[in-house]
Amino acid sequence: MTHALIADDEPHLAQHLQQQLARLWPELEIVAVASNGIEAAARIADLEPELAFLDIRMPGMSGLEVAQGIEGRTRAVFVTAYDEYAVQAFEHAALDYLLKPLRTERLQRTIERVRSALEKPPQEDAALAQALRRLMGQPAGERLPQLPWLRYLRAGKGGMVHNIAVSEVLFFQADDKYTVVRTAGDEYLIRTPIAELAARLDPDEFWQVHRGTIVNLAHLAGTRRDEASRLFLRMRGHAVELPVSRAYVPLFGAM
């Protein structure tokens, strides 16, 4: 039996999807229904269902952010109100998505595609990583003017405001309400969210490797896989390895 999770902050829509899935795919077991992104991420990590139907816009974390953090085998199917920019990104990457309001014919096609995919061995999908980076760096439905790439940061510490060259940063990591800026010699806190930083950093130099982590490739010392084939990064001047979410593993395929 295939197991799935539904995540949507609108209970009646989540219930409608669950009813439609029960009718069109009776062998599918819904193991959890989450009402926000934080709950969805926690339940996916605990239950590791084969599928997660993720609403893109949810409180706490978006469906895109949840997908960024998936470490196990779970395959994401995105659910969204019609948004031309997001739909183009999904179609370009050949990702599974559903439009609100749900239509039976569209859901049936998605089910057929997903069932076919689940019959094959799980693959690390480079298209997913590229689409997530594109959508997280450019809010759906809002084409923002391109600003110059960020070169310096200002961060307060010890009663001083420090001017930090972005080229010296090993990585950025989300930490509650702040973002940790880690250099080889020190650590600083800023209030700029990871998603906002991702849109301002040169993508040829900085890669997002987790929903809460962006690394500077210039300081990448090496990679390591553990016995479960999970990927970790080693940064020069930092002793602790950084985990890479499954969605971003293909970025390091040539390394």
Side-chain angles (χ1 to χ4, degrees):
M1 179 173 285
T2 303
H3 306 88
L5 170 143
I6 295 173
D8 199 313
D9 62 325
E10 299 182 68
H12 66 285
L13 293 179
Q15 183 181 25
H16 178 61
L17 176 57
Q18 188 169 2
Q19 291 171 345
Q20 290 287 85
L21 288 169
R23 184 170 64 86
L24 298 173
W25 193 353
E27 301 85 7
L28 181 70
E29 180 183 357
I30 305 300
V31 294
V33 178
S35 60
N36 59 68
I38 295 173
E39 181 186 358
R43 299 292 280 165
I44 289 171
D46 289 341
L47 301 172
E48 291 195 2
E50 288 87 353
L51 289 174
F53 292 88
L54 303 174
D55 185 22
I56 288 187
R57 297 186 180 276
M58 291 186 290
M61 293 168 58
S62 71
L64 299 173
E65 291 172 315
V66 174
Q68 284 180 308
I70 291 175
E71 304 287 355
R73 61 181 179 171
T74 306
R75 180 185 180 92
V77 177
F78 297 101
V79 184
T80 180
Y82 183 76
D83 182 288
E84 183 178 359
Y85 185 75
V87 167
Q88 286 177 355
F90 292 145
E91 290 181 342
H92 179 73
L95 300 181
D96 295 308
Y97 70 93
L98 294 168
L99 291 176
K100 295 179 180 180
L102 294 177
R103 291 182 171 83
T104 302
E105 298 80 7
R106 183 70 178 83
L107 179 57
Q108 184 66 63
R109 289 200 303 272
T110 296
I111 289 173
E112 291 170 0
R113 221 171 26 244
V114 168
R115 292 179 73 165
S116 176
L118 290 174
E119 292 174 357
K120 304 172 185 176
Q123 296 179 343
E124 294 168 345
D125 191 353
L128 174 60
Q130 293 168 356
L132 288 176
R133 292 179 71 202
R134 178 182 175 190
L135 285 165
M136 292 301 296
Q138 178 83 63
E142 186 179 344
R143 304 307 296 266
L144 300 177
Q146 179 61 62
L147 299 174
W149 299 130
L150 196 62
R151 295 301 177 192
Y152 293 92
L153 291 168
R154 292 168 63 82
K157 183 175 182 179
M160 293 181 58
V161 176
H162 299 262
N163 204 41
I164 307 163
V166 169
S167 60
E168 297 179 1
V169 176
L170 305 183
F171 61 87
F172 300 91
Q173 196 160 51
D175 181 19
D176 196 16
K177 297 179 181 179
Y178 297 91
T179 296
V180 175
V181 180
R182 180 72 197 194
T183 66
D186 215 335
E187 185 175 283
Y188 308 87
L189 295 177
I190 59 175
R191 291 184 178 272
T192 308
I194 285 289
E196 190 174 321
L197 280 170
R200 294 294 314 280
L201 294 167
D202 186 342
D204 291 331
E205 300 175 10
F206 291 87
W207 284 2
Q208 188 158 5
V209 299
H210 195 278
R211 68 170 177 265
T213 309
I214 299 173
V215 300
N216 186 345
L217 295 177
H219 298 286
L220 178 63
T223 63
R224 179 184 69 85
R225 283 186 183 266
D226 66 7
E227 62 280 358
S229 200
R230 292 172 298 192
L231 186 67
F232 296 85
L233 305 183
R234 295 178 178 176
M235 308 301 293
R236 296 188 183 93
H238 186 67
V240 180
E241 295 180 331
L242 303 176
V244 179
S245 291
R246 191 188 67 188
Y248 296 101
V249 168
L251 297 174
F252 299 87
M255 295 184 178

